[in-house]
Coordinates of all heavy atoms in Angstrom, one line a residue:
I205 N -2.7 34.3 -6.4 CA -2.2 33.5 -7.5 C -3.2 33.5 -8.6 O -2.8 33.6 -9.8 CB -1.8 32.1 -7.0 CG1 -0.6 32.2 -6.0 CG2 -1.5 31.2 -8.1 CD1 -0.3 30.9 -5.4
L206 N -4.4 33.4 -8.3 CA -5.4 33.3 -9.4 C -5.5 34.7 -10.1 O -5.9 34.8 -11.2 CB -6.8 32.9 -8.8 CG -6.9 31.5 -8.3 CD1 -8.2 31.2 -7.7 CD2 -6.6 30.5 -9.4
A207 N -5.3 35.8 -9.3 CA -5.4 37.1 -9.9 C -4.2 37.4 -10.9 O -4.3 38.2 -11.7 CB -5.4 38.2 -8.8
T208 N -3.1 36.7 -10.7 CA -1.9 36.9 -11.6 C -1.6 35.5 -12.2 O -0.8 34.8 -11.7 CB -0.7 37.4 -10.8 OG1 -0.5 36.5 -9.7 CG2 -1.0 38.8 -10.2
P209 N -2.1 35.2 -13.3 CA -1.9 33.9 -14.0 C -0.5 33.7 -14.5 O -0.1 32.6 -14.8 CB -2.9 33.9 -15.1 CG -3.2 35.3 -15.4 CD -3.1 36.0 -14.1
D210 N 0.3 34.8 -14.5 CA 1.7 34.6 -15.0 C 2.6 34.1 -13.9 O 3.8 33.7 -14.2 CB 2.2 35.9 -15.6 CG 2.2 37.0 -14.5 OD1 1.3 37.0 -13.6 OD2 3.0 38.0 -14.6
V211 N 2.2 34.0 -12.7 CA 3.0 33.4 -11.6 C 2.9 31.9 -11.6 O 1.8 31.3 -11.6 CB 2.5 34.0 -10.2 CG1 3.3 33.3 -9.1 CG2 2.6 35.5 -10.1
A212 N 4.0 31.3 -11.7 CA 4.1 29.8 -11.7 C 4.2 29.2 -10.3 O 5.0 29.7 -9.5 CB 5.2 29.3 -12.5
V213 N 3.3 28.2 -10.0 CA 3.4 27.6 -8.7 C 3.7 26.1 -9.0 O 3.2 25.5 -9.8 CB 2.0 27.6 -8.0 CG1 2.0 26.9 -6.7 CG2 1.6 29.1 -7.8
Q214 N 4.7 25.6 -8.2 CA 5.1 24.3 -8.4 C 4.9 23.5 -7.1 O 5.4 23.9 -6.0 CB 6.6 24.2 -8.7 CG 7.1 22.8 -9.1 CD 8.5 22.8 -9.6 OE1 9.3 23.6 -9.1 NE2 8.8 22.0 -10.5
V215 N 4.1 22.5 -7.1 CA 3.7 21.7 -6.0 C 3.9 20.2 -6.2 O 3.6 19.7 -7.2 CB 2.2 21.9 -5.7 CG1 1.7 21.1 -4.5 CG2 1.8 23.4 -5.4
H216 N 4.6 19.6 -5.2 CA 4.8 18.2 -5.2 C 4.2 17.6 -3.9 O 4.5 18.2 -2.8 CB 6.3 17.8 -5.3 CG 7.0 18.3 -6.5 ND1 6.8 17.7 -7.7 CD2 7.7 19.4 -6.7 CE1 7.5 18.4 -8.6 NE2 8.1 19.4 -8.1
Q217 N 3.5 16.5 -4.0 CA 2.9 15.9 -2.8 C 3.2 14.4 -2.8 O 3.1 13.8 -3.9 CB 1.4 16.1 -2.7 CG 1.1 17.6 -2.6 CD -0.4 17.8 -2.5 OE1 -1.2 17.1 -3.0 NE2 -0.8 18.9 -1.8
V218 N 3.5 13.9 -1.6 CA 3.8 12.5 -1.4 C 3.0 12.0 -0.2 O 3.0 12.7 0.8 CB 5.3 12.2 -1.3 CG1 5.6 10.7 -1.0 CG2 6.1 12.7 -2.5
M219 N 2.5 10.8 -0.3 CA 1.8 10.2 0.9 C 2.0 8.8 1.0 O 2.0 8.1 -0.1 CB 0.3 10.5 0.8 CG -0.4 9.9 2.1 SD -2.2 10.0 2.0 CE -2.6 8.6 1.0
A220 N 2.3 8.3 2.2 CA 2.4 6.8 2.4 C 1.5 6.5 3.6 O 1.5 7.2 4.6 CB 3.9 6.5 2.7
H221 N 0.7 5.4 3.4 CA -0.3 5.0 4.4 C -0.1 3.5 4.7 O -0.1 2.7 3.8 CB -1.7 5.4 3.9 CG -2.8 5.1 4.8 ND1 -3.3 6.1 5.6 CD2 -3.4 4.0 5.2 CE1 -4.3 5.6 6.4 NE2 -4.3 4.3 6.1
L222 N -0.2 3.2 6.0 CA -0.1 1.8 6.4 C -1.1 1.4 7.4 O -1.2 2.1 8.4 CB 1.3 1.5 6.9 CG 1.5 0.0 7.5 CD1 1.5 -1.0 6.3 CD2 2.8 0.0 8.2
D223 N -2.0 0.5 7.1 CA -2.9 -0.1 8.0 C -2.5 -1.5 8.4 O -1.9 -2.2 7.5 CB -4.3 -0.3 7.4 CG -5.0 1.1 7.1 OD1 -4.7 2.0 7.8 OD2 -5.9 1.1 6.2
Y224 N -2.7 -1.9 9.6 CA -2.3 -3.3 10.1 C -3.5 -3.8 10.9 O -3.9 -3.2 11.9 CB -1.1 -3.2 10.9 CG -0.6 -4.6 11.3 CD1 0.0 -5.4 10.3 CD2 -0.7 -5.1 12.5 CE1 0.5 -6.7 10.6 CE2 -0.3 -6.4 12.9 CZ 0.3 -7.2 11.9 OH 0.7 -8.4 12.2
V225 N -4.0 -5.0 10.4 CA -5.2 -5.6 11.1 C -4.7 -6.5 12.2 O -4.1 -7.5 12.0 CB -6.0 -6.4 10.1 CG1 -7.2 -7.0 10.8 CG2 -6.5 -5.5 9.0
I226 N -4.8 -6.0 13.5 CA -4.4 -6.8 14.6 C -5.5 -7.8 14.9 O -5.2 -9.0 15.1 CB -4.2 -5.9 15.9 CG1 -3.0 -5.0 15.6 CG2 -4.0 -6.7 17.1 CD1 -2.7 -4.0 16.7
F227 N -6.7 -7.4 15.1 CA -7.9 -8.2 15.2 C -8.9 -7.7 14.1 O -8.7 -6.6 13.6 CB -8.5 -8.0 16.6 CG -7.6 -8.4 17.7 CD1 -7.1 -7.5 18.6 CD2 -7.3 -9.8 17.9 CE1 -6.2 -7.9 19.6 CE2 -6.5 -10.2 19.0 CZ -5.9 -9.2 19.8
P228 N -9.9 -8.5 13.8 CA -10.8 -8.0 12.8 C -11.6 -6.8 13.2 O -12.1 -6.0 12.4 CB -11.8 -9.2 12.7 CG -11.1 -10.4 13.1 CD -10.1 -9.9 14.2
W229 N -11.6 -6.5 14.5 CA -12.3 -5.3 15.0 C -11.3 -4.1 15.4 O -11.8 -3.1 15.8 CB -13.1 -5.6 16.2 CG -12.4 -6.4 17.2 CD1 -12.3 -7.7 17.3 CD2 -11.7 -5.8 18.3 NE1 -11.5 -8.1 18.4 CE2 -11.1 -6.9 19.1 CE3 -11.4 -4.5 18.8 CZ2 -10.3 -6.7 20.2 CZ3 -10.7 -4.4 19.9 CH2 -10.1 -5.4 20.6
L230 N -10.0 -4.3 15.2 CA -9.0 -3.3 15.6 C -8.0 -3.1 14.6 O -7.2 -4.0 14.2 CB -8.4 -3.7 17.0 CG -7.3 -2.7 17.5 CD1 -8.0 -1.3 17.8 CD2 -6.7 -3.3 18.8
V231 N -7.9 -1.9 14.0 CA -6.9 -1.6 12.9 C -6.2 -0.3 13.3 O -6.7 0.8 13.1 CB -7.7 -1.4 11.6 CG1 -6.7 -1.1 10.5 CG2 -8.5 -2.6 11.3
P232 N -4.9 -0.4 13.7 CA -4.1 0.8 13.8 C -3.5 1.2 12.5 O -3.5 0.5 11.5 CB -2.9 0.3 14.8 CG -2.9 -1.1 14.6 CD -4.2 -1.6 14.2
L233 N -3.2 2.5 12.4 CA -2.7 3.0 11.2 C -1.6 4.1 11.4 O -1.5 4.7 12.5 CB -3.8 3.7 10.3 CG -4.5 4.9 10.9 CD1 -3.8 6.2 10.3 CD2 -5.9 4.9 10.6
V234 N -0.8 4.3 10.4 CA 0.2 5.4 10.4 C 0.3 6.0 9.0 O 0.2 5.2 8.0 CB 1.6 5.0 10.9 CG1 2.2 4.0 10.0 CG2 2.5 6.2 11.1
R235 N 0.4 7.3 8.9 CA 0.4 7.9 7.5 C 1.4 9.0 7.6 O 1.5 9.8 8.5 CB -1.0 8.5 7.2 CG -1.0 9.1 5.8 CD -2.4 9.5 5.4 NE -3.0 10.5 6.3 CZ -4.2 10.4 6.9 NH1 -4.9 9.3 6.7 NH2 -4.6 11.4 7.6
F236 N 2.2 9.1 6.5 CA 3.2 10.2 6.3 C 2.8 11.0 5.1 O 2.5 10.5 4.0 CB 4.6 9.6 6.1 CG 5.6 10.7 5.7 CD1 6.1 11.5 6.6 CD2 6.1 10.7 4.4 CE1 7.0 12.5 6.3 CE2 7.0 11.7 4.0 CZ 7.5 12.6 4.9
E237 N 2.8 12.3 5.2 CA 2.4 13.2 4.1 C 3.5 14.3 4.0 O 4.0 14.8 4.9 CB 1.1 14.0 4.4 CG -0.1 13.0 4.6 CD -1.3 13.7 5.1 OE1 -1.2 15.0 5.3 OE2 -2.3 13.1 5.3
L238 N 3.9 14.6 2.7 CA 4.9 15.6 2.4 C 4.4 16.4 1.3 O 4.0 15.9 0.3 CB 6.2 14.9 2.0 CG 7.3 15.8 1.5 CD1 7.8 16.8 2.6 CD2 8.5 15.0 0.9
A239 N 4.4 17.7 1.5 CA 4.0 18.7 0.5 C 5.1 19.7 0.3 O 5.5 20.3 1.3 CB 2.7 19.4 0.9
I240 N 5.5 19.9 -0.9 CA 6.5 20.9 -1.2 C 5.9 21.9 -2.2 O 5.6 21.5 -3.3 CB 7.8 20.2 -1.9 CG1 8.3 19.2 -0.9 CG2 8.8 21.3 -2.2 CD1 9.4 18.3 -1.5
E241 N 5.8 23.1 -1.8 CA 5.2 24.2 -2.6 C 6.2 25.3 -2.8 O 6.6 25.9 -1.8 CB 4.0 24.7 -1.9 CG 3.3 25.8 -2.7 CD 2.0 26.3 -2.1 OE1 1.4 25.5 -1.3 OE2 1.6 27.4 -2.4
N242 N 6.7 25.4 -4.0 CA 7.7 26.4 -4.4 C 8.9 26.3 -3.5 O 9.5 27.3 -3.0 CB 7.2 27.8 -4.3 CG 6.1 28.1 -5.4 OD1 6.2 27.5 -6.5 ND2 5.2 29.0 -5.1
G243 N 9.4 25.1 -3.2 CA 10.6 24.8 -2.5 C 10.4 24.8 -1.0 O 11.4 24.6 -0.2
V244 N 9.2 25.1 -0.5 CA 9.0 25.1 1.0 C 8.3 23.8 1.3 O 7.2 23.5 0.8 CB 8.1 26.3 1.4 CG1 7.8 26.2 2.9 CG2 8.7 27.6 1.0
A245 N 8.9 23.0 2.2 CA 8.4 21.6 2.5 C 7.6 21.7 3.8 O 8.0 22.4 4.8 CB 9.5 20.6 2.6
E246 N 6.5 20.9 3.9 CA 5.8 20.7 5.1 C 5.5 19.2 5.3 O 5.0 18.5 4.3 CB 4.5 21.4 5.1 CG 3.7 21.2 6.3 CD 2.3 22.0 6.3 OE1 2.3 23.0 5.7 OE2 1.4 21.5 7.0
Q247 N 5.9 18.6 6.4 CA 5.7 17.2 6.7 C 4.6 17.0 7.7 O 4.4 17.9 8.6 CB 7.0 16.6 7.2 CG 8.1 16.5 6.3 CD 9.3 15.8 6.9 OE1 9.2 15.1 7.9 NE2 10.4 15.9 6.3
R248 N 3.9 15.9 7.6 CA 2.8 15.6 8.6 C 2.8 14.1 8.8 O 2.9 13.3 7.9 CB 1.5 16.1 8.0 CG 0.3 16.0 9.0 CD -0.9 16.5 8.4 NE -0.7 17.9 7.8 CZ -1.4 18.4 6.8 NH1 -2.4 17.7 6.3 NH2 -1.1 19.6 6.3
W249 N 2.7 13.8 10.1 CA 2.6 12.4 10.5 C 1.3 12.2 11.2 O 0.9 13.0 12.1 CB 3.7 12.0 11.5 CG 5.1 11.8 10.9 CD1 6.0 12.8 10.7 CD2 5.6 10.7 10.3 NE1 7.1 12.3 10.1 CE2 6.9 11.0 9.8 CE3 5.2 9.3 10.2 CZ2 7.7 10.1 9.2 CZ3 6.0 8.4 9.5 CH2 7.2 8.8 9.1
V250 N 0.5 11.2 10.9 CA -0.8 10.9 11.5 C -0.7 9.4 12.0 O -0.3 8.5 11.3 CB -1.9 11.0 10.5 CG1 -3.2 10.7 11.1 CG2 -1.9 12.4 9.9
A251 N -1.1 9.2 13.2 CA -1.2 7.9 13.8 C -2.6 7.8 14.5 O -3.1 8.7 15.0 CB -0.1 7.7 14.9
G252 N -3.1 6.6 14.4 CA -4.4 6.4 15.0 C -4.8 4.9 15.0 O -4.1 4.0 14.6
A253 N -6.1 4.7 15.3 CA -6.7 3.4 15.3 C -8.2 3.4 15.0 O -8.8 4.4 15.4 CB -6.4 2.7 16.6
Y254 N -8.7 2.4 14.3 CA -10.1 2.2 14.1 C -10.5 1.0 14.9 O -9.8 0.0 14.9 CB -10.4 2.0 12.6 CG -10.2 3.2 11.8 CD1 -9.0 3.2 11.0 CD2 -11.0 4.2 11.7 CE1 -8.7 4.3 10.2 CE2 -10.8 5.3 10.9 CZ -9.6 5.4 10.1 OH -9.4 6.4 9.3
A255 N -11.7 1.1 15.5 CA -12.2 -0.1 16.3 C -13.7 -0.3 15.9 O -14.5 0.7 15.9 CB -12.1 0.1 17.8
L256 N -14.0 -1.5 15.5 CA -15.4 -1.8 15.2 C -16.1 -2.2 16.5 O -15.8 -3.2 17.1 CB -15.4 -2.9 14.2 CG -16.8 -3.3 13.6 CD1 -17.3 -2.1 12.8 CD2 -16.7 -4.5 12.7
V257 N -17.1 -1.4 16.9 CA -17.8 -1.6 18.2 C -18.8 -2.8 18.0 O -18.9 -3.7 18.8 CB -18.5 -0.4 18.7 CG1 -19.3 -0.6 19.9 CG2 -17.5 0.7 18.9
R258 N -19.5 -2.7 17.0 CA -20.4 -3.8 16.5 C -20.7 -3.6 15.1 O -20.1 -2.7 14.5 CB -21.7 -3.7 17.4 CG -22.4 -2.4 17.4 CD -23.8 -2.4 18.1 NE -24.7 -3.3 17.4 CZ -25.6 -4.1 17.9 NH1 -25.7 -4.1 19.2 NH2 -26.3 -4.8 17.1
A259 N -21.5 -4.4 14.5 CA -21.8 -4.3 13.0 C -22.2 -2.9 12.7 O -23.2 -2.3 13.3 CB -22.8 -5.3 12.6
N260 N -21.6 -2.2 11.7 CA -21.9 -0.9 11.2 C -21.7 0.2 12.2 O -22.2 1.3 12.0 CB -23.3 -0.8 10.7 CG -23.6 -1.8 9.5 OD1 -22.6 -2.1 8.8 ND2 -24.8 -2.3 9.4
V261 N -20.9 0.0 13.3 CA -20.6 1.1 14.2 C -19.1 1.0 14.5 O -18.5 0.1 14.9 CB -21.3 0.9 15.6 CG1 -20.9 2.0 16.6 CG2 -22.8 0.8 15.4
R262 N -18.4 2.1 14.0 CA -17.0 2.2 14.1 C -16.5 3.5 14.8 O -17.1 4.5 14.6 CB -16.4 2.2 12.7 CG -14.9 2.2 12.6 CD -14.4 2.1 11.2 NE -14.4 3.5 10.7 CZ -13.8 3.8 9.6 NH1 -13.2 2.9 8.8 NH2 -13.8 5.0 9.1
T263 N -15.5 3.3 15.7 CA -14.9 4.5 16.3 C -13.5 4.7 15.8 O -12.9 3.7 15.3 CB -14.9 4.3 17.9 OG1 -14.1 3.2 18.1 CG2 -16.3 4.1 18.4
S264 N -13.0 5.9 15.9 CA -11.7 6.1 15.4 C -11.0 7.2 16.3 O -11.7 8.1 16.7 CB -11.6 6.5 13.9 OG -12.3 7.7 13.7
V265 N -9.7 7.1 16.4 CA -9.0 8.2 17.1 C -7.7 8.4 16.2 O -7.0 7.5 15.9 CB -8.5 7.7 18.5 CG1 -7.6 8.8 19.1 CG2 -9.7 7.5 19.4
L266 N -7.5 9.7 15.9 CA -6.3 10.0 15.1 C -5.5 11.2 15.8 O -6.2 12.1 16.3 CB -6.7 10.5 13.7 CG -7.5 9.5 12.8 CD1 -8.0 10.2 11.6 CD2 -6.6 8.4 12.5
A267 N -4.2 11.1 15.8 CA -3.4 12.2 16.3 C -2.4 12.6 15.2 O -1.9 11.8 14.4 CB -2.5 11.7 17.5
Q268 N -2.2 13.9 15.1 CA -1.4 14.5 14.0 C -0.3 15.3 14.5 O -0.5 16.1 15.4 CB -2.3 15.3 13.1 CG -1.7 16.0 12.0 CD -2.7 16.7 11.1 OE1 -3.6 16.1 10.7 NE2 -2.5 18.0 10.9
V269 N 0.9 15.1 14.0 CA 2.1 15.9 14.3 C 2.6 16.5 13.0 O 2.7 15.7 12.0 CB 3.2 15.0 14.9 CG1 4.5 15.8 15.1 CG2 2.7 14.4 16.2
R270 N 3.0 17.7 12.9 CA 3.5 18.3 11.7 C 4.9 19.0 12.0 O 5.1 19.4 13.1 CB 2.5 19.2 11.1 CG 2.2 20.4 11.9 CD 1.1 21.2 11.2 NE 0.8 22.4 12.0 CZ 1.0 23.6 11.5 NH1 1.3 23.8 10.3 NH2 0.7 24.7 12.3
Q271 N 5.6 19.1 10.9 CA 6.9 19.8 11.0 C 6.8 21.2 10.6 O 6.3 21.5 9.5 CB 8.0 19.1 10.1 CG 9.3 19.7 10.2 CD 10.3 19.1 9.3 OE1 9.9 18.6 8.2 NE2 11.6 19.1 9.6
V272 N 7.2 22.1 11.5 CA 7.1 23.5 11.2 C 8.5 24.1 11.5 O 9.0 24.1 12.6 CB 6.1 24.2 12.1 CG1 6.1 25.7 11.9 CG2 4.7 23.6 11.9
G273 N 9.1 24.6 10.4 CA 10.4 25.3 10.6 C 11.5 24.4 11.1 O 12.3 24.8 11.9
G274 N 11.5 23.1 10.7 CA 12.6 22.2 11.2 C 12.4 21.5 12.5 O 13.1 20.7 12.9
R275 N 11.2 21.8 13.2 CA 10.9 21.1 14.4 C 9.5 20.6 14.3 O 8.7 21.1 13.6 CB 11.1 22.0 15.6 CG 10.2 23.1 15.6 CD 10.3 24.0 16.7 NE 9.2 25.0 16.5 CZ 8.6 25.7 17.4 NH1 8.9 25.6 18.6 NH2 7.6 26.4 17.1
Y276 N 9.3 19.5 15.1 CA 7.9 18.9 15.0 C 7.1 19.4 16.2 O 7.6 19.6 17.3 CB 8.1 17.3 15.2 CG 8.7 16.7 14.0 CD1 10.0 16.4 13.9 CD2 7.9 16.4 12.9 CE1 10.6 15.9 12.7 CE2 8.4 15.8 11.8 CZ 9.7 15.5 11.7 OH 10.3 14.9 10.6
E277 N 5.8 19.6 15.9 CA 4.9 20.1 16.9 C 3.6 19.3 16.8 O 3.1 19.0 15.7 CB 4.7 21.6 17.0 CG 4.2 22.2 15.7 CD 4.1 23.7 15.8 OE1 5.1 24.4 16.3 OE2 3.1 24.2 15.4
F278 N 3.0 19.1 18.0 CA 1.7 18.4 18.0 C 0.6 19.3 17.5 O 0.5 20.4 17.8 CB 1.4 18.0 19.5 CG 0.2 17.2 19.7 CD1 0.1 15.9 19.3 CD2 -0.9 17.8 20.2 CE1 -1.0 15.2 19.5 CE2 -2.1 17.1 20.4 CZ -2.1 15.8 20.0
D279 N -0.2 18.8 16.6 CA -1.2 19.6 15.9 C -2.6 19.4 16.4 O -3.2 20.3 16.8 CB -1.1 19.3 14.4 CG -1.8 20.4 13.6 OD1 -2.0 21.5 14.0 OD2 -2.3 20.0 12.4
R280 N -3.1 18.1 16.4 CA -4.4 17.9 16.8 C -4.7 16.4 17.1 O -4.0 15.5 16.7 CB -5.4 18.4 15.8 CG -5.5 17.5 14.5 CD -6.5 17.9 13.5 NE -5.8 18.8 12.6 CZ -6.4 19.5 11.7 NH1 -7.6 19.3 11.5 NH2 -5.7 20.3 10.9
V281 N -5.8 16.2 17.8 CA -6.4 14.9 18.1 C -7.8 14.9 17.6 O -8.5 15.8 17.8 CB -6.3 14.5 19.6 CG1 -7.0 13.2 19.8 CG2 -4.9 14.3 20.0
Q282 N -8.2 13.8 16.9 CA -9.5 13.8 16.3 C -10.2 12.4 16.7 O -9.5 11.4 16.5 CB -9.5 13.9 14.8 CG -10.8 13.8 14.1 CD -10.6 13.9 12.6 OE1 -9.6 14.3 12.1 NE2 -11.7 13.5 11.9
A283 N -11.4 12.5 17.3 CA -12.1 11.2 17.6 C -13.4 11.3 16.8 O -14.0 12.3 16.6 CB -12.4 11.2 19.1
A284 N -13.9 10.1 16.4 CA -15.1 10.0 15.6 C -15.9 8.8 15.9 O -15.3 7.7 16.3 CB -14.8 10.1 14.1
L285 N -17.2 8.8 15.7 CA -18.1 7.7 15.7 C -18.8 7.6 14.4 O -19.5 8.6 14.1 CB -19.0 7.8 16.9 CG -20.1 6.8 17.0 CD1 -19.5 5.4 17.4 CD2 -21.1 7.2 18.1
S286 N -18.7 6.5 13.7 CA -19.4 6.4 12.4 C -20.4 5.3 12.5 O -20.1 4.2 13.0 CB -18.4 6.0 11.3 OG -17.4 7.0 11.2
V287 N -21.6 5.6 12.1 CA -22.7 4.6 12.1 C -23.3 4.5 10.6 O -23.5 5.5 10.0 CB -23.9 5.1 13.0 CG1 -25.0 4.1 13.0 CG2 -23.3 5.3 14.4
G288 N -23.4 3.3 10.2 CA -23.9 3.1 8.8 C -25.1 2.2 8.8 O -25.3 1.3 9.7
F289 N -26.0 2.4 7.8 CA -27.2 1.6 7.7 C -27.3 1.0 6.4 O -26.8 1.4 5.4 CB -28.4 2.5 7.9 CG -28.5 3.0 9.3 CD1 -28.1 4.3 9.6 CD2 -29.0 2.2 10.4 CE1 -28.2 4.8 10.9 CE2 -29.1 2.7 11.6 CZ -28.7 4.0 11.9

């Protein structure tokens, strides 16, 4: 696309994100993402949770599902440990 500047690319993106604080140390989340590029749509759902282990130490787990060709398929699971000073 960069080599041919006369080609027009049309991209639309939408995202909705919801966090809900169950306890001060536990926050589940869900996120929806939609990207439409030149009429081809791709959807992605992300669900997960953040947990505060102690002050400045947070763990998180996220799972991602995406739509490919009209059907949903499991994409990945991500776990993280964040430490701040």
Side-chain angles (χ1 to χ4, degrees):
I205 293 174
L206 294 176
T208 56
D210 57 334
V211 175
V213 177
Q214 188 175 34
V215 177
H216 299 282
Q217 294 181 331
V218 176
M219 182 186 81
H221 183 99
L222 176 67
D223 290 335
Y224 185 74
V225 179
I226 294 177
F227 299 109
W229 51 270
L230 181 61
V231 181
L233 67 95
V234 64
R235 182 172 63 231
F236 171 73
E237 301 170 358
L238 173 64
I240 303 171
E241 182 177 336
N242 291 333
V244 178
E246 180 179 333
Q247 293 182 14
R248 187 175 311 154
W249 288 89
V250 179
Y254 294 102
L256 188 64
V257 178
R258 56 175 293 144
N260 298 331
V261 178
R262 183 177 84 169
T263 61
S264 64
V265 175
L266 300 171
Q268 180 174 305
V269 174
R270 64 187 182 118
Q271 183 184 27
V272 177
R275 61 182 185 152
Y276 289 95
E277 57 182 49
F278 183 73
D279 193 27
R280 73 178 90 183
V281 172
Q282 176 182 349
L285 173 67
S286 302
V287 180
F289 294 100

